[in-house]
């Protein structure tokens, strides 16, 4: 009937995760599931750094589903950790087909390659992750070296520009109108010469003032001496006149 056909078509649609959907009867399922040959390798889960691998599982599942399915991700963790050693990945593959559908083969092939690689490394880290980290560090070092190189070139250009500016500063030269450029060694020498000439002029003025002062003192001394002589002569003249007057009497 039409109702039966509709129900049959809905059965093929993606259904939300249910723990009851986990297939039971491992032996029967393994015998009929077609799987990639890459899954026919054993994995020891005790030799895997799960804190490194689990974030990849969560990110890859979200990429394939285009939505984040925390329940499905937790189911994958449980299926991986329920056995210490997985002789193959066929059972996990069969359990994920209901949820990942056509992407199951892609996911399981990538996951099993990582787990086998982690078993081969003493660190328990897949070699792919180690190589990606090394490439990232090299890229960061390249970027850092490039930035340092640009900074060094910028510093060299700045230093060169400063040197050019210093060389282009005009040297002060005296002209007829007394104007010139910037300060120079000759300017300093001229300044020192002017200071020396000024000092000499000051010394001459001081000597001249001292000489004038001494001349004035000598002139004053002569004047005082002459006045004393004049007073003495006046007294002598008066005495002589008095004597002459007495003699006449």
């Amino acid at each position: 009937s039409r109702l039966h056909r509709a129900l049959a078509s809905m059965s093929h649609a993606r259904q939300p995760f249910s723990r009851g959907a986990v297939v039971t009867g491992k032996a029967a399922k393994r015998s009929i599931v077609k799987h990639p040959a890459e899954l026919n390798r054993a994995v020891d889960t005790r030799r895997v750094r799960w804190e490194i691998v689990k974030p990849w599982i969560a990110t890859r599942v979200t990429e394939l589903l285009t939505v984040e399915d925390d329940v499905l991700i937790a189911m994958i963790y449980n299926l991986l950790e329920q056995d210490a050693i997985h002789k193959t990945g066929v059972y996990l593959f069969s359990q994920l087909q209901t949820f990942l559908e056509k992407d199951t083969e892609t996911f399981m092939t990538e996951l099993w390659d990582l787990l086998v690689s982690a078993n081969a490394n003493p660190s328990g880290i897949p070699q792919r992750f180690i190589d990606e980290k090394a490439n990232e560090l090299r890229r960061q070092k390249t970027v850092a070296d490039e930035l340092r190189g640009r900074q060094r070139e910028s510093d060299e250009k700045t230093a060169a520009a400063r040197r050019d500016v210093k060389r282009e500063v005009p040297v002060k030269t005296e002209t007829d109108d007394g104007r010139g450029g910037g300060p120079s060694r000759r300017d300093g020498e001229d300044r020192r010469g002017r200071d020396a000439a000024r000092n000499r002029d000051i010394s001459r003025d001081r000597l001249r003032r001292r000489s004038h002062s001494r001349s004035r003192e000598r002139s004053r001394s002569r004047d005082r001496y002459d006045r004393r002589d004049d007073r003495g002569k006046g007294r002598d003249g008066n005495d002589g006149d008095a004597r002459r007057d007495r003699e006449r009497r």
Side-chain angles (χ1 to χ4, degrees):
S1 67
R2 185 177 301 175
L3 177 60
H4 288 295
R5 287 196 299 272
L7 293 174
S9 62
M10 290 175 61
S11 64
H12 297 289
R14 167 78 159 83
Q15 300 297 324
F17 172 74
S18 171
R19 293 187 182 277
V22 177
V23 179
T24 58
K26 297 181 183 179
K29 199 65 178 178
R30 286 172 183 167
S31 62
I32 61 174
V33 172
K34 182 180 179 181
H35 59 275
E38 289 84 357
L39 303 183
N40 294 327
R41 293 173 291 178
V43 169
D44 187 347
T45 59
R46 296 167 298 184
R47 298 169 57 187
V48 176
R49 292 277 298 276
W50 289 110
E51 69 273 16
I52 303 296
V53 177
K54 282 184 176 181
W56 178 89
I57 293 174
T59 300
R60 191 65 176 125
V61 169
T62 302
E63 290 174 353
L64 294 173
L65 295 179
T66 67
V67 293
E68 187 174 357
D69 193 334
D70 294 335
V71 179
L72 177 59
I73 293 170
M75 168 191 158
I76 295 172
Y77 294 163
N78 291 332
L79 290 173
L80 287 169
E81 294 174 342
Q82 70 183 6
D83 293 325
I85 298 177
H86 293 270
K87 293 182 180 180
T88 68
V90 177
Y91 176 65
L92 181 59
F93 179 85
S94 65
Q95 300 302 307
L96 296 182
Q97 276 187 313
T98 305
F99 310 101
L100 296 179
E101 299 177 344
K102 61 184 178 59
D103 295 319
T104 306
E105 181 173 347
T106 299
F107 173 75
M108 283 300 301
T109 300
E110 294 177 1
L111 173 62
W112 220 249
D113 285 342
L114 293 176
L115 297 179
V116 171
S117 176
N119 277 189
N121 278 333
S123 63
I125 301 175
Q127 186 62 39
R128 169 182 163 184
F129 292 172
I130 296 175
D131 294 340
E132 288 176 352
K133 186 63 176 180
N135 291 335
E136 177 64 18
L137 292 176
R138 282 194 293 270
R139 188 190 68 80
Q140 292 177 358
K141 183 178 182 301
T142 300
V143 172
D145 292 342
E146 183 178 353
L147 291 176
R148 282 194 294 269
R150 290 179 180 177
Q151 184 63 41
R152 185 165 50 251
E153 291 178 0
S154 177
D155 294 342
E156 291 175 355
K157 289 180 180 179
T158 301
R162 289 176 179 173
R163 289 194 297 269
D164 293 341
V165 169
K166 289 181 180 179
R167 283 196 296 266
E168 292 174 0
V169 171
V171 178
K172 182 177 180 180
T173 56
E174 293 295 336
T175 58
D176 294 339
D177 57 359
R179 291 176 298 179
S184 64
R185 180 179 299 177
R186 179 178 176 182
D187 207 16
E189 293 176 354
D190 292 343
R191 190 181 299 109
R192 288 193 294 272
R194 289 193 296 270
D195 292 341
R198 189 181 302 110
N199 292 334
R200 287 194 297 271
D201 292 340
I202 292 172
S203 299
R204 291 195 196 98
D205 291 340
R206 288 176 179 174
L207 291 174
R208 192 177 297 111
R209 286 196 295 271
R210 290 175 184 174
S211 177
H212 290 168
S213 177
R214 290 171 183 171
S215 297
R216 286 196 297 271
E217 289 178 358
R218 286 195 296 268
S219 177
R220 292 194 190 106
S221 298
R222 284 196 299 269
D223 292 341
R224 286 195 297 269
Y225 181 76
D226 291 341
R227 285 196 295 271
R228 284 198 301 269
D229 288 346
D230 291 340
R231 286 196 298 269
K233 290 178 180 179
R235 285 195 301 271
D236 293 341
N238 293 332
D239 292 343
D241 293 338
R243 282 195 301 271
R244 284 192 294 273
D245 290 339
R246 285 194 298 272
E247 290 175 357
R248 290 193 194 102
R249 291 173 185 170

